Amino acid sequence: MQGCRVVSEVSLSREETARLAELARLSLNDEELARIAHDLTEIIDYMEKLAGIDRAHVRPMSHVLDTVNAYRDDCAEPSLSQEEALANAPDRQGQFFRVPRIIDAGEAGEA
Amino acid sequence: MTDRNDYEVVVGIEVHVELATESKVFCGCKTAFGAAPNTQVCPVCLGMPGALPVLNRRALEYTIRAGLALNCSIAGWTKFDRKNYFYPDLAKGYQVSQYDIPIAHDGYIDIEVDGQPKRIRVRRVHLEEETAKLVHAGDDIISANQSLLDFNRSGIGLIEIVSDADMRSADEARAYLTKLRSILVAIGVSDCKMEEGSMRCEANVSVMPRDSKEFGTLVELKNIASFRAVHRAIQYESTRQIDLVRSGGRVSRETRHWDDVRGETAFMRSKEQAADYRYFPEPDLMPLEIAPEWVEEIRGGLPELPDARAARYVSEFGLPASDAALIAESRELASFFEGVCDALAKAGAGAGVGAGAVDRAEGAREAAKWLVGDVSAALKASGIELSQSKLAPGQLAELIGLVASGKISGRIAKSVFEEVFASGKRPGDVVRERGLVQISDAGELAAIVQRVIEANPGPVADYFAGKEKALTFLVGQIMKETRGRANPQETNRILREELAKRA
Amino acid sequence: MSGNADATLCDMTLHELHDMLLSGQVSSREITSDVLARIDEVEASVGAYVTRDRETALKGADAADEVIARARRDRDTGAIGALVGIPVVLKDNVCTRGMRTTCCSKMLEDFIPTYDAAVTARLREAGAVIVGKGNMDEFAMGSTTQTSVFHVTRNPWDLERVPGGSSGGCAAAVAAGEAVASIGTDTGGSIRQPASFCGVVGLKPTYGRVSRYGVVAFASSLDTVGPITRDVRDCAIMLKAIAGRDGRDSTSAPDAVPDYSSCVERGVQGLRIGIPEQFFGPGMTDGVRTAVERALRALEDAGADIVEVSLPLAEHALAVYYLVATAEASSNMARLDGIRYGYRPEGRGGMDVADLMSASRGQGFGMEVKRRIMLGTFVLSSGNFDAFYGRALRSRRLLAEDVRRALTECDCLVSPTAPTVAFRFDEEPDDPLAMYLQDIYTTLANLAGVPAISVPCGLADGMPVGLQIMGRMFDEATLIRAGRAVELTSGMDAARPKVGGCAK
């Protein structure tokens, strides 16, 4: 799928770790960033062992069962009530969930 | 200094269409438009902890149907993938979509622009889910300091149709979209209403020197809310890019927002850094094996598509190609047209041969002329759809019959049509009430013609002096006297005869 | 706080209590009250529970008593299901409608689901009495229950030792008599390892055997839901109640559910027990080895054949597991963004939504959860995908095929459940990698999707040792037969935890 990276060359810098944190929407303080950068590097090195058994022709296993075609019929089922839907909302305005300012016009229209 | 015409624009179009299934693609919530906010939601489409998706078989069927109607190949084996990103309208923080194995691929749509046919390739058609609806306080997302979320739309089935970059003008893009929409509506997978958001499109625009082999840098255009906007946006953007390149600038890889009010595109964000969606196969959904038998069953169930229907109109009725294409493209018009033809056939059968019976093909051509001409004009003027009008196929058939039998002239028919359209009255009734039956009897006409000749010595003399225009004047006088009821051909003939007698 | 030699109700097995209920010897209210009394007595020391609802539990018990009374009147006690009136505890990642479900995280501290998980619904339908929710490692990420945001759970056998994890609360509750049975989840060993540490039975069913709907996802292709019970018969009963296809879970298997209870006493005559050489190397402590080898000899004496097999790829299981699990987890956790539910920090004025999400997640999640999300994000990210995730998925197939091949050479694979007995709180490794090595025997079953059970097989230094038995897909019946045979000779009958106590 995407480009390949030689595993043995991996060691995570603070900058890369910060970029990952942004991608994962996780705010981390400096101490956490440093700790995670170190932990990840160690864990990733450990996983290098897999290079020994990896074979390109092997089909990736995303599911352990070989079921296919799990469908349902196109029938409407009861929905939650509006109150149930909003019951756990941290911030709500009337019938809606409310969120603050959105800076990035984002994927609007993409999906 | 180069000329704008030394460049050409290259356009690819991406369309998202909401599926008209009863329930959402991965849960049983209703999909109906216009319900009170957050009342058509459940743990699945709200992304609650522990909720899991289950595929709606009809959504898969509709996707296959769309793929077949667009001449695609259908995958024998396929799967869903997760597209991971964060946005408030994305309940799970990922969208269930398809990455590398779309359900349908490598199809095409045939369009025609200025009489020139062209084939636009469809790269892929895949199935995914809708996001929630964001309502912004204030005018737009940029200025709003808060936004409201309605998840009714979240989880509705969506098919994404991606074309190849085969279009070379705004006209071609619009023709592609028009044809695509008519196909999707014809096969019943969506109502494709851009104003309701059930059809959305994005255009990818680049420019390059004419005859170049290398495409220019792509700009993605968003916020295009109508076919007219597509046209305007592509024209604006292609001009912007060409001017930029001509003046030595470089087009940046970016996303731009179309402002329909100001008629321009504005920078939205850079695409130099591609978003990292971390696609991976969706573990909560099992893969799909699409049986060839099922595909053939779906193919067999496809209704007649616009191109095939237009071709049939040409071969069966001898309709001019442009009329055939226009009528075939709209399910409404096509159905109405065929209704008129049926009514004419019935009337013909009832009346017996010769007694006002209209030849089948001739009648069809007349019907087409009316639909493409007066009917379309009347609909446009009143701003309504054919289904909302008072006009019924039987009435148009009756009107055509009245003209064909000589009961009224073509000119009178137009006036009768206006009243029929406005009131819903039967044409026969209108003709009777207004005493509009055509005068075709030679004797009656001769008497009137003679009267007019007597009353207009001057024009008569002009006619003999060689002024053809005088004839028109005399015909006009006859029409005035008969309030337009005189049969034009007969009137002309008899007038010339009478004048010749006096020569 | 005593180990009770005369078994009190709360220490009895589910099946014994069921018989007593049917005969009218005891009521569900009495059983439930006894369990509640035990909780009052030991909870301050053990800390197995996160949420308890005394009133609802007693109401449930009374309702069960009415059903039983009616059946006895109509002489139709055969219609009373095995779970009617039995107090159970559910791990706190299993959604319970109207009852707080927190995954022991600040992120879901106040989350009250408006829906039941499929297993919750089945237990309710079966007449079980839900007493409350069990403590766990935050979002099931851990092996000691210490990452719970609320409090630690202590091992009833020795309160200075961990109960294991992530289903530590449930295992401790069952061991201490604070519930008769429980439901946990197992993604890499989280039912089996705490069961082993707490001296109770824990079953990880075949993937897809039990519906995951309503169970907060950790790793979608690895997560399973299963029982933690006092003995193997109880385990068979609980499994029967919760297994079977569920239309709300696409990964739920359509395979028929056998009558597991009828397998319990079948014995192991002629059963081929596979001993993978890779699992009997230097990794385990002597105490564990002694207990396990004794159990194997007992199985042989009972008529089983011990067969040596090889799992050459077993050493890679841990790496593959962490790559797959963290990748899926990083995606599954994305829905926890504080928008529709969940934690939102105070004093957030002026933050835009992206910053707010980051703050909610940064503050709502503990360190281990954040670490795994970061690792998973790394594994899936552009440029790393093929070398990490792609490699992991290919390796997973190789490992799964290895296990399935070994299971053609024998009927089940046996090993210790964990390399050690429960360790002391002050002994536990600081290093995440060393912590991950606890899962060395258990992760293979999750990767291959096969079922595995942990059955107490003896003591070492006074602490329980668990024997793991892994079987073929959908062959829980063999695990139950073999587990029962181990149970019969384990000598665990006389052993008692320091706090509470198990009876057989």
Side-chain angles (χ1 to χ4, degrees):
Chain A
M1 274 185 181
Q2 288 109 322
C4 220
R5 203 167 158 174
V6 179
V7 179
S8 60
E9 282 167 11
V10 172
S11 103
L12 240 55
S13 68
R14 288 278 295 273
E15 292 66 40
E16 279 182 276
T17 311
R19 197 184 55 85
L20 280 177
E22 165 77 40
L23 208 52
R25 286 286 188 282
L26 282 178
S27 74
L28 298 173
N29 61 38
D30 285 339
E31 196 206 312
E32 289 172 318
L33 265 178
R35 226 170 116 192
I36 287 182
H38 170 263
D39 291 344
L40 291 197
T41 303
E42 204 181 73
I43 294 167
I44 288 159
D45 285 346
Y46 171 72
M47 290 169 190
E48 192 186 67
K49 298 200 299 174
L50 284 181
I53 64 168
D54 191 15
R55 296 288 172 268
H57 69 272
V58 173
R59 226 174 15 107
M61 184 182 231
S62 308
H63 300 88
V64 291
L65 297 174
D66 41 33
T67 340
V68 288
N69 299 344
Y71 312 125
R72 42 169 265 275
D73 288 334
D74 185 25
C75 302
E77 304 281 322
S79 292
L80 291 176
S81 70
Q82 195 183 67
E83 272 317 300
E84 285 176 314
L86 294 163
N88 286 284
D91 189 11
R92 129 183 211 185
Q93 181 172 297
Q95 310 178 81
F96 297 91
F97 295 89
R98 183 164 59 187
V99 294
R101 209 157 55 97
I102 301 172
I103 289 183
D104 183 4
E107 307 297 328
E110 172 142 350
Chain B
M1 180 63 159
T2 55
D3 193 84
R4 276 200 187 139
N5 285 319
D6 293 337
Y7 293 86
E8 68 180 335
V9 62
V10 174
V11 179
I13 302 263
E14 214 175 275
V15 168
H16 286 91
V17 154
E18 281 181 12
L19 295 180
T21 50
E22 278 289 311
S23 58
K24 296 185 179 180
V25 64
F26 297 121
C27 68
C29 290
K30 292 214 267 279
T31 57
F33 185 77
N38 294 304
T39 55
Q40 287 176 183
V41 296
C42 73
V44 179
C45 53
L46 271 177
M48 306 297 275
L52 294 170
V54 183
L55 177 63
N56 178 339
R57 188 175 186 268
R58 183 166 287 152
L60 173 61
E61 187 199 316
Y62 279 12
T63 312
I64 296 171
R65 224 194 257 187
L68 291 173
L70 299 176
N71 305 292
C72 295
S73 305
I74 305 297
W77 185 96
T78 180
K79 62 177 166 71
F80 289 99
D81 301 286
R82 290 192 187 178
K83 178 181 183 182
N84 297 279
Y85 65 95
F86 286 89
Y87 205 70
D89 68 359
L90 190 62
K92 297 184 294 298
Y94 59 86
Q95 181 196 31
V96 179
S97 177
Q98 296 194 287
Y99 178 59
D100 54 337
I101 309 182
I103 288 167
H105 61 97
D106 295 310
Y108 59 85
I109 292 183
D110 288 328
I111 60 170
E112 201 175 281
V113 173
D114 294 332
Q116 286 290 96
K118 185 166 178 177
R119 178 160 289 187
I120 307 295
R121 292 169 300 166
V122 170
R123 167 122 28 106
R124 51 182 282 158
V125 177
H126 77 252
L127 177 60
E128 57 185 28
E129 55 177 345
E130 257 287 25
T131 55
K133 188 138 136 240
L134 264 169
V135 179
H136 307 295
D139 294 324
D140 59 62
I141 194 173
I142 316 285
S143 64
N145 66 350
Q146 63 185 33
S147 300
L148 304 175
L149 281 164
D150 172 12
F151 283 83
N152 283 356
R153 197 181 76 174
S154 167
I156 288 182
L158 212 57
I159 52 179
E160 179 174 323
I161 300 160
V162 182
S163 80
D164 275 303
D166 288 350
M167 287 155 272
R168 294 289 177 273
S169 71
D171 284 343
E172 285 183 8
R174 187 168 48 189
Y176 169 82
L177 279 168
T178 308
K179 184 54 97 50
L180 175 61
R181 181 179 186 278
S182 74
I183 292 171
L184 295 175
V185 170
I187 63 176
V189 301
S190 174
D191 60 17
C192 291
K193 290 192 178 152
M194 286 193 84
E195 66 278 15
E196 274 176 23
S198 60
M199 179 174 186
R200 299 198 288 278
C201 88
E202 280 159 32
N204 293 323
V205 179
S206 66
V207 298
M208 64 181 183
R210 219 168 265 286
D211 301 329
S212 166
K213 292 284 184 287
E214 235 180 82
F215 285 175
T217 304
L218 198 93
V219 168
E220 190 181 61
L221 299 183
K222 289 194 191 243
N223 195 43
I224 296 171
S226 68
F227 290 174
R228 183 167 166 270
V230 166
H231 198 268
R232 293 176 70 215
I234 290 172
Q235 286 201 314
Y236 175 88
E237 179 61 19
S238 55
T239 306
R240 184 192 75 89
Q241 287 189 24
I242 289 170
D243 286 350
L244 181 58
V245 169
R246 280 172 74 213
S247 64
R250 192 185 70 93
V251 175
S252 315
R253 197 167 158 67
E254 60 195 27
T255 302
R256 296 179 72 85
H257 171 98
W258 168 249
D259 184 330
D260 206 46
V261 171
R262 295 165 76 165
E264 55 188 39
T265 63
F267 173 79
M268 217 170 113
R269 64 168 171 272
S270 167
K271 281 194 81 165
E272 295 296 344
Q273 274 273 40
D276 186 358
Y277 293 118
R278 290 156 280 138
Y279 284 100
F280 70 98
E282 169 61 85
D284 288 330
L285 289 169
M286 303 312 288
L288 300 172
E289 267 175 16
I290 301 177
E293 298 76 41
W294 192 33
V295 174
E296 288 320 303
E297 200 185 305
I298 295 171
R299 196 196 301 273
L302 282 177
E304 188 181 37
L305 294 179
D307 279 357
R309 179 176 294 145
R312 180 166 64 84
Y313 289 168
V314 169
S315 69
E316 217 176 294
F317 302 119
L319 289 197
S322 56
D323 284 2
L326 219 101
I327 294 172
E329 204 151 71
S330 155
R331 206 153 57 157
E332 228 181 17
L333 270 180
S335 159
F336 193 97
F337 167 74
E338 292 182 18
V340 175
C341 292
D342 283 343
L344 283 171
K346 276 208 201 82
V353 179
V358 183
D359 167 72
R360 191 163 172 271
E362 181 56 45
R365 287 195 285 277
E366 277 304 306
K369 253 196 252 165
W370 276 100
L371 280 170
V372 167
D374 295 66
V375 174
S376 291
L379 289 173
K380 195 155 175 207
S382 50
I384 58 173
E385 303 278 332
L386 186 52
S387 54
Q388 297 168 302
S389 79
K390 298 198 177 85
L391 192 67
Q395 291 165 333
L396 195 56
E398 198 185 330
L399 195 56
I400 291 169
L402 287 170
V403 174
S405 65
K407 267 235 172 62
I408 56 174
S409 69
R411 202 131 153 262
I412 296 276
K414 278 181 184 284
S415 148
V416 171
F417 166 77
E418 271 168 36
E419 190 171 337
V420 167
F421 184 83
S423 67
K425 280 194 197 156
R426 291 186 55 210
D429 293 341
V430 173
V431 166
R432 207 185 36 253
E433 282 166 22
R434 285 166 48 182
L436 296 172
V437 179
Q438 190 165 237
I439 302 170
S440 300
D441 177 68
E444 213 183 322
L445 276 175
I448 298 166
V449 166
Q450 283 157 17
R451 261 206 308 282
V452 165
I453 290 175
E454 302 290 315
N456 293 279
V460 171
D462 285 344
Y463 171 73
F464 285 128
K467 298 193 181 130
E468 273 292 312
K469 251 201 184 153
L471 197 71
T472 315
F473 176 77
L474 290 168
V475 170
Q477 290 302 103
I478 294 163
M479 286 300 171
K480 207 164 139 202
E481 260 229 29
T482 61
R483 281 177 299 125
R485 289 157 58 214
N487 182 317
Q489 292 87 344
E490 282 299 292
T491 303
N492 237 292
R493 186 181 64 81
I494 292 168
L495 181 58
R496 282 181 197 272
E497 260 177 33
E498 291 293 327
L499 285 168
K501 276 187 200 160
R502 287 163 174 71
Chain C
M1 223 199 288
S2 52
N4 221 330
D6 343 325
T8 54
L9 292 176
C10 63
D11 293 325
M12 291 179 145
T13 63
L14 195 162
H15 58 91
E16 285 172 328
L17 290 168
H18 175 67
D19 290 339
M20 290 167 76
L21 283 168
L22 286 197
S23 68
Q25 217 178 319
V26 81
S27 70
S28 173
R29 180 164 259 261
E30 285 172 283
I31 300 171
T32 305
S33 300
D34 205 43
V35 165
L36 291 170
R38 176 60 61 81
I39 293 172
D40 286 339
E41 200 191 321
V42 307
E43 238 320 80
S45 313
V46 176
Y49 277 85
V50 167
T51 299
R52 288 178 265 157
D53 190 345
R54 187 188 178 83
E55 282 68 43
T56 307
L58 289 170
K59 261 201 228 135
D62 290 340
D65 283 331
E66 266 176 53
V67 167
I68 295 169
R70 233 194 336 263
R72 295 189 69 234
R73 235 182 3 249
D74 300 342
R75 302 186 193 284
D76 188 23
T77 54
I80 305 291
L83 261 53
V84 174
I86 303 291
V88 300
V89 61
L90 304 182
K91 187 173 178 180
D92 207 21
N93 58 356
V94 177
C95 283
T96 42
R97 185 201 197 117
M99 187 185 276
R100 194 171 70 141
T101 301
T102 71
C103 300
C104 295
S105 175
K106 191 172 184 179
M107 176 56 86
L108 290 179
E109 201 171 1
D110 300 314
F111 179 66
I112 302 179
T114 55
Y115 50 98
D116 270 338
V119 294
T120 308
R122 289 202 187 191
L123 289 174
R124 284 197 214 273
E125 249 171 90
V129 175
I130 298 174
V131 176
K133 310 302 287 296
N135 202 19
M136 55 185 280
D137 281 299
E138 186 182 0
F139 285 108
M141 298 181 188
S143 335
T144 60
T145 308
Q146 286 175 282
T147 64
S148 165
V149 78
F150 297 115
H151 51 259
V152 300
T153 298
R154 295 173 176 279
N155 194 315
W157 290 77
D158 179 342
L159 298 172
E160 300 309 308
R161 293 178 186 262
V162 301
S166 58
S167 310
C170 290
V174 170
E178 295 187 87
V180 174
S182 89
I183 295 293
T185 65
D186 189 312
T187 304
S190 292
I191 283 175
R192 293 161 285 156
Q193 187 253 36
S196 165
F197 279 13
C198 292
V200 291
V201 175
L203 172 72
K204 172 214 160 312
T206 309
Y207 182 87
R209 177 79 286 182
V210 178
S211 171
R212 291 182 298 120
Y213 183 84
V215 175
V216 184
F218 163 7
S220 313
S221 73
L222 299 164
D223 288 347
T224 57
V225 185
I228 298 175
T229 57
R230 300 233 160 96
D231 72 357
V232 171
R233 177 169 291 279
D234 283 0
C235 186
I237 292 168
M238 286 290 277
L239 182 61
K240 178 69 173 170
I242 61 175
R245 190 175 180 276
D246 176 26
R248 288 168 300 175
D249 176 355
S250 300
T251 62
S252 169
D255 301 58
V257 181
D259 178 15
Y260 298 115
S261 296
S262 67
C263 309
V264 176
E265 302 297 348
R266 285 241 205 99
V268 293
Q269 186 68 39
L271 201 67
R272 295 170 303 160
I273 314 259
I275 309 293
E277 63 176 276
Q278 290 81 2
F279 282 168
F280 284 84
M284 67 188 96
T285 64
D286 293 336
V288 167
R289 185 183 299 275
T290 306
V292 165
E293 284 176 350
R294 194 184 339 113
L296 286 171
R297 282 197 298 277
L299 284 168
E300 251 184 323
D301 291 341
D305 296 318
I306 309 294
V307 175
E308 272 172 21
V309 300
S310 181
L311 291 171
L313 302 178
E315 65 176 294
H316 301 289
L318 216 47
V320 176
Y321 169 75
Y322 276 99
L323 287 171
V324 173
T326 56
E328 291 181 359
S330 71
S331 178
N332 285 328
M333 303 296 283
R335 67 184 65 193
L336 299 151
D337 56 13
I339 301 291
R340 289 145 286 115
Y341 51 87
Y343 174 79
R344 265 215 199 168
E346 297 304 324
R348 48 178 171 75
M351 263 195 238
D352 67 86
V353 80
D355 285 343
L356 184 60
M357 281 189 193
S358 289
S360 287
R361 291 161 60 81
Q363 293 174 38
F365 293 143
M367 195 58 187
E368 184 58 33
V369 172
K370 286 194 277 205
R371 183 184 290 125
R372 295 198 194 196
I373 291 175
M374 291 288 282
L375 178 56
T377 306
F378 172 86
V379 164
L380 292 173
S381 64
S382 159
N384 298 317
F385 187 95
D386 194 68
F388 291 93
Y389 191 66
R391 175 166 294 165
L393 291 189
R394 291 188 292 270
S395 305
R396 182 177 185 176
R397 186 172 297 281
L398 293 173
L399 258 64
E401 284 173 358
D402 206 26
V403 170
R404 292 179 193 182
R405 189 256 324 135
L407 285 165
T408 61
E409 299 164 17
C410 60
D411 298 311
C412 59
L413 296 164
V414 157
S415 71
T417 302
T420 66
V421 296
F423 43 82
R424 299 174 56 84
F425 281 102
D426 54 25
E427 260 175 359
E428 57 120 349
D430 201 20
D431 177 5
L433 201 54
M435 188 54 91
Y436 296 167
L437 288 167
Q438 277 292 313
D439 299 331
I440 207 153
Y441 301 118
T442 51
T443 55
L444 205 50
N446 301 86
L447 290 170
V450 297
I453 195 172
S454 177
V455 178
C457 66
L459 294 173
D461 301 326
M463 291 300 294
V465 176
L467 184 78
Q468 175 178 258
I469 308 167
M470 250 196 289
R472 297 186 196 105
M473 301 288 277
F474 300 104
D475 191 19
E476 284 84 348
T478 297
L479 304 186
I480 286 166
R481 285 169 67 185
R484 176 61 180 149
V486 168
E487 184 174 77
L488 280 168
T489 59
S490 65
M492 289 294 283
D493 288 25
R496 284 285 178 273
K498 197 173 189 164
V499 165
C502 296
K504 291 245 166 66

